[in-house]
């Protein structure tokens, strides 16, 4: 083999990703750009972490005292805000030190595409989680029975938003479908920019809901929105050329990550395994949750049963707001659980055990076995021992849920006048 042939073979040999995608004459990044990138890279890695001792130490240093890390269902606890500040400070300090030590300002050859990959897949996982929860209507279920009998003005802003979202299945599917679509598009480099645009549009609405209706997911939703905006940065100039300046845009670089065929095949296999891991579980979990929420067979007394008469020791208890003994209604919504609503709107929860002709109500360590009779469809009569040794007899009539405007109004193609109640 002569020397010229050897050089030809070497020229055709596969090259690694760094050599292929980062030419030697690539212009160096400015120190400020490298510094900002390193801070962002570290913060993206830190944000999903739960936070530890540094959160408590920072809280004490700020004079906030000890902060609890116990989960309460809120993402905007004091612990979460302090953790956000702690991670921002750590990323700022570490990124600054990193930039001062490493003064080579060439474009990061591995970390930059790695950051894009991590951000894409993390945001896709979040989009699938929230999207399928809306598509299968588990995040925003139909308004609960207690919500239907609640005074409108007693709703919290978050409760009002939950009722608004939960009222319409098609709107849930529409908004959740947008999140799932955005997550799906993010999983492929060819559609990364389009996926980021979809997620920005959807997540902007989510952020506004969270801030305007005091929903405690403000930190996380804002982070997801910023992450989606960050994914658009590599394509910002190309998008501006097409959408603003009406000129030709250069195609995106979609060349393989590696020059070795086996490495690219292995990457594709791992990719599809990861896609299955982040997409299938939330879809399956929310589908099962949807079935449980809509299973009425396990709740035979489901509904709102309004009191027609309420007798203690044979004497009718008048419907007075000041009399806490009398019920306004018995509400059964979940298997094994129910509640009585008083005339003043107060709620008392009970554990229910139903037999063919008996209903046992239990609360605070006390049980009341009541005989159950159904003289006619929709009518229920409970009799038996009650509190303070009294004998209870209560007649309850099941309310037609379609009597509520929120449930029975439905959809109308033709409306001669606005029906705003």
């Amino acid at each position: 083999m002569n020397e010229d042939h050897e050089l030809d073979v070497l020229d055709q040999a596969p090259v690694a990703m760094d050599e292929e995608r980062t030419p030697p004459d690539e212009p160096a990044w400015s120190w400020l750009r490298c510094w900002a990138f390193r801070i962002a890279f570290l913060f993206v890695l830190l944000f999903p972490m739960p936070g530890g001792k540094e959160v408590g130490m920072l809280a004490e240093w700020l004079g906030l005292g000890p902060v609890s890390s116990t989960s309460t269902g809120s993402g905007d606890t004091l612990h979460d805000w302090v953790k956000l500040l702690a991670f921002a400070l750590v990323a700022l300090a570490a990124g600054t030190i990193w930039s001062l030590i490493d003064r080579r300002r060439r474009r990061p050859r591995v970390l930059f595409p790695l950051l894009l990959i991590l951000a894409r897949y993390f945001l896709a996982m979040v989009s699938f989680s929230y999207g399928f929860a809306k598509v299968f209507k588990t995040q925003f279920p139909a308004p609960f029975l207690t919500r239907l009998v609640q005074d409108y003005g007693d709703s919290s802003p978050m409760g009002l938003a939950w009722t608004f979202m939960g009222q319409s299945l098609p709107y849930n599917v529409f908004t959740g479908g947008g999140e799932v679509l955005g997550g799906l598009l993010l999983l492929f480099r060819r559609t990364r920019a389009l996926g980021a645009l979809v997620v920005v549009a959807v997540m902007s609405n989510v952020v506004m809901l969270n801030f305007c209706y005091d929903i405690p997911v403000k930190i996380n939703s804002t982070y997801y929105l910023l992450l989606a905006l960050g994914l658009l940065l590599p394509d910002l100039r190309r998008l501006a050329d097409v959408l603003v300046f009406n000129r030709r845009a250069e195609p995106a670089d979609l060349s393989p990550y590696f020059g070795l065929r086996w490495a690219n095949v292995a990457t594709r296999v791992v990719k599809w395994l990861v896609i299955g891991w982040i997409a299938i579980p939330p879809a399956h979990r929310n589908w099962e949750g949807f079935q449980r929420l809509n299973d009425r067979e396990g709740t035979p007394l489901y509904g709102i049963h309004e009191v027609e008469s309420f007798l203690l020791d044979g004497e009718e208890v008048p419907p007075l707001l000041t009399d806490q003994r009398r019920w306004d209604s018995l509400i059964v919504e979940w298997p094994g659980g129910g509640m009585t609503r008083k005339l003043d709107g107060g709620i008392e929860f009970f554990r229910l055990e139903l037999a063919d002709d008996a209903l046992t109500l239990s609360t605070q360590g006390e049980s009341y076995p009541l005989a159950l009779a159904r003289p006619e469809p929709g009518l229920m009569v409970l009799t038996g021992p009650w509190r303070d040794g009294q004998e209870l007899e209560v007649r309850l009539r099941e309310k037609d849920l379609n009597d509520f405007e929120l449930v029975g109004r439905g959809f109308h193609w033709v409306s001669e006048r606005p029906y705003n109640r």
Side-chain angles (χ1 to χ4, degrees), residues 21-70:
R21 299 173 66 90
T22 310
D25 58 347
E26 181 180 343
W29 281 13
S30 67
W31 186 91
L32 183 63
R33 190 177 181 184
C34 285
W35 174 72
F37 164 76
R38 288 162 176 165
I39 292 173
F41 179 79
L42 292 171
F43 186 76
V44 168
L45 293 182
L46 287 171
F47 185 85
M49 297 182 181
K53 294 182 179 179
E54 73 279 355
V55 175
M57 293 172 58
L58 181 59
E60 292 184 6
W61 183 75
L62 293 172
L64 300 174
V67 293
S68 173
S69 59
T70 303

Side-chain angles (χ1 to χ4, degrees), residues 121-169:
Y121 279 82
F122 176 76
L123 199 55
M125 181 175 64
V126 171
S127 297
F128 288 146
S129 177
Y130 281 101
F132 284 121
K134 295 180 180 68
V135 169
F136 296 119
K137 213 169 183 294
T138 55
Q139 183 182 7
F140 301 110
F144 295 137
L145 300 180
T146 48
R147 181 70 68 186
L148 294 177
V149 300
Q150 181 184 19
D151 290 338
Y152 192 80
D154 290 334
S155 302
S156 67
M158 178 178 175
L160 181 61
W162 241 249
T163 303
F164 159 73
M165 291 293 298
Q167 172 57 24
S168 173
L169 173 61

Side-chain angles (χ1 to χ4, degrees), residues 153-363:
D154 290 334
S155 302
S156 67
M158 178 178 175
L160 181 61
W162 241 249
T163 303
F164 159 73
M165 291 293 298
Q167 172 57 24
S168 173
L169 173 61
Y171 189 68
N172 269 262
V173 174
F174 172 74
T175 55
E179 290 178 309
V180 172
L181 175 63
L184 185 63
L185 293 172
L186 284 175
L187 295 172
F188 305 93
R189 283 191 296 161
R190 187 179 299 276
T191 56
R192 180 194 65 201
L194 178 59
L197 287 171
V198 172
V199 174
V200 165
V202 173
M203 199 55 62
S204 296
N205 181 59
V206 173
V207 169
M208 289 303 296
L209 278 173
N210 291 342
F211 275 89
C212 297
Y213 287 86
D214 195 31
I215 301 173
V217 201
K218 303 177 189 69
I219 296 175
N220 286 354
S221 60
T222 302
Y223 173 75
Y224 303 147
L225 176 58
L226 293 176
L227 204 59
L229 288 170
L231 284 173
L232 289 173
L233 291 178
D235 299 290
L236 201 58
R237 180 173 296 178
R238 298 174 57 250
L239 290 171
D241 286 340
V242 173
L243 301 177
V244 180
F245 300 112
N246 194 30
R247 61 193 182 195
R248 186 186 304 275
E250 293 298 322
D253 181 10
L254 299 177
S255 56
Y257 280 122
F258 302 98
L260 300 174
R261 185 174 182 275
W262 68 266
N264 287 314
V265 172
T267 301
R268 293 190 186 97
V269 172
V270 173
K271 176 189 185 72
W272 283 104
L273 289 175
V274 172
I275 290 175
W277 177 65
I278 65 176
I280 296 176
H284 182 262
R285 182 176 63 251
N286 284 286
W287 168 246
E288 288 188 332
F290 174 76
Q291 291 179 311
R292 286 194 302 270
L293 282 171
N294 293 275
D295 180 17
R296 300 290 179 246
E297 293 183 1
T299 315
L301 294 181
Y302 176 86
I304 300 173
H305 306 272
E306 296 181 322
V307 171
E308 288 190 343
S309 64
F310 193 94
L311 284 73
L312 289 176
D313 290 338
E315 294 185 5
E316 177 71 28
V317 178
L320 301 176
L321 292 176
T322 56
D323 195 330
Q324 294 296 307
R325 299 174 301 169
R326 194 185 194 280
W327 307 347
D328 174 71
S329 56
L330 172 66
I331 302 172
V332 182
E333 189 154 22
W334 309 109
M339 62 208 77
T340 57
R341 183 174 185 264
K342 306 300 178 60
L343 290 169
D344 63 357
I347 296 290
E348 183 176 9
F349 292 91
F350 288 91
R351 187 174 69 254
L352 304 181
E353 297 178 23
L354 177 64
D356 292 338
D357 57 355
L359 178 65
T360 301
L361 279 65
S362 303
T363 182

